[in-house]
Amino acid sequence: MKQPGMLELPVLGLLKDKEMHGYELRKQLGAMLGPFWQVSWGSLYPTLRRLTKAGALEKVETETPRRARSRSTRSLARSNAAPALSGGRKKNVYRITSQGEEMFAAMLEETAAAVDAEHFTLKLAFFRYLQPETRLALLERRRAYLIVKLAEFKNNLRDYRERIDSYTLSLHTHGMASTESDIAWIEELITQERAPRTGAAETTNV
Amino acid sequence: MKQPGMLELPVLGLLKDKEMHGYELRKQLGAMLGPFWQVSWGSLYPTLRRLTKAGALEKVETETPRRARSRSTRSLARSNAAPALSGGRKKNVYRITSQGEEMFAAMLEETAAAVDAEHFTLKLAFFRYLQPETRLALLERRRAYLIVKLAEFKNNLRDYRERIDSYTLSLHTHGMASTESDIAWIEELITQERAPRTGAAETTNV
DNA sequence: TTCGTCATGTAATGGGTTACATGATTAC
DNA sequence: GTAATCATGTAACCCATTACATGACGAA
């Protein structure tokens, strides 16, 4: 996660499912987006604050879940609870608001830009919230983008093949292969999106 | 190019070959790094200025290359040339200094971090300036990193496979396949790096 | 008692992105 | 004559990164 404005979508998307505090959110983010996206605290917490200020999130009043076990003796002096003492630990749990839901939907649908790998990945992770046509539109935009890039790779290679060393050549060749593999993957997703007539029956015809 | 501090290396590396002005540099950058790295003016020019101020680059006195053709009549009033009038067009040509060469070498060799895709790509594009052992070290670091990431992918999938939808699953599966393909590629590079005994003779033995 | 995980933040820094602004030259 | 390319820059915004700082809890 190096690009700006990339956190809002997955934060809202995850909180849509279930209210969470920052720490847990980060874990879920990691699980959902894979090991290449590590979110730093310095970007997560400010994002939560920003979204809260914007009215997309609200803090949940943590209802003192079964008071810390009286095990340790030294916790007695704390009876005059200041705010934020709440449950055993101080946890800031966030819940998405209806305004946040709208924002999420808007960000997710906005087919405009978002053809680059990172935006696309992020949206794909929340495809279940989109309608099939929108999914197809997104997939096809991404495919078109990749096809353009592939062509640019080829032109590049055509124009410069003589002047580049073997390492750079390898870089380009592998880049092209990866792009082709990505395109094939997208096409598979497109096929799957079109194929499974939502009807339950899938017998015969083989 | 979204990460900070990513431009210095390729700028120095390209200027090592041949002095250039900003516009041309960008073209070369595009040709070398492929269609996924577009460099914006707003980052290139400030980088050139920064590197110049740091003593890594110097502006070349463009030696008024054959004075603009006298074709157009209205260019006569310009005889009292202020600085930067120089050649036909105003072009700021940059040349790398010995200090810049050192900086480049240091940045390139620094095997420390730079395991992520972007740093690695950048370094690979200038592998010809490194010694075989350093190249191998870099390649092996990158491979180790990818292997760790692959394992994390697998753990992730093991722990969450039940809870994720088909799109996210596809995302992960494709991510793993890509990572495996990257590893295979790196291993190929490692093999090539070890194999070709620099000796000229390659006869017999088949 | 100490280490690892849980948990939340703040501050500075840095530089990339976007948009804006300008003007010469070349090709159609 | 007008569009595209060449060529260089500036300024504001934005936010991710890094490093710093704190503290409770559970287990070894």
Side-chain angles (χ1 to χ4, degrees), chain B residues 62-68 84-91:
Chain B
T62 36
E63 345 77 358
T64 320
R66 64 190 86 81
R67 190 43 101 222
L85 153 353
S86 45
R89 281 214 237 8
K90 68 163 176 175
K91 266 192 268 193

Side-chain angles (χ1 to χ4, degrees), chain B residues 63-76 78 85-90:
Chain B
E63 345 77 358
T64 320
R66 64 190 86 81
R67 190 43 101 222
R69 293 68 152 272
S70 50
R71 197 85 67 74
S72 73
T73 50
R74 63 200 140 86
S75 65
L76 54 94
R78 297 276 196 57
L85 153 353
S86 45
R89 281 214 237 8
K90 68 163 176 175

Side-chain angles (χ1 to χ4, degrees), chain B residues 21-23 41-42 45 49 89-92:
Chain B
H21 57 274
Y23 196 87
W41 301 119
Y45 286 116
R49 218 182 317 135
R89 281 214 237 8
K90 68 163 176 175
K91 266 192 268 193
N92 291 345

Side-chain angles (χ1 to χ4, degrees), chain B residues 62-135:
Chain B
T62 36
E63 345 77 358
T64 320
R66 64 190 86 81
R67 190 43 101 222
R69 293 68 152 272
S70 50
R71 197 85 67 74
S72 73
T73 50
R74 63 200 140 86
S75 65
L76 54 94
R78 297 276 196 57
S79 42
N80 56 345
L85 153 353
S86 45
R89 281 214 237 8
K90 68 163 176 175
K91 266 192 268 193
N92 291 345
V93 177
Y94 293 90
R95 176 196 297 143
I96 193 169
T97 66
S98 57
Q99 208 182 129
E101 300 261 9
E102 276 171 44
M103 189 188 294
F104 174 75
M107 292 175 85
L108 192 56
E109 258 163 275
E110 178 244 358
T111 47
V115 278
D116 61 288
E118 287 180 321
H119 280 101
F120 176 75
T121 296
L122 239 30
K123 296 204 171 187
L124 191 59
F126 296 105
F127 252 35
R128 64 177 174 283
Y129 294 122
L130 286 173
Q131 290 176 317
E133 316 93 64
T134 317
R135 293 202 273 249

Side-chain angles (χ1 to χ4, degrees), chain A residues 15 20 23 32 42 62 81 83 90 99-100 104 107 112 115 122 125 128 137 141 144 156 161 167 172-173 195:
Chain A
L15 291 178
M20 278 181 274
Y23 195 88
M32 166 174 270
T62 35
K90 70 161 174 174
Q99 208 181 128
F104 174 75
M107 292 174 85
V115 278
L122 239 30
R128 62 177 177 285
R141 276 192 136 276
N156 231 331
R161 196 190 289 131
Y167 296 109
H172 276 76
T173 308

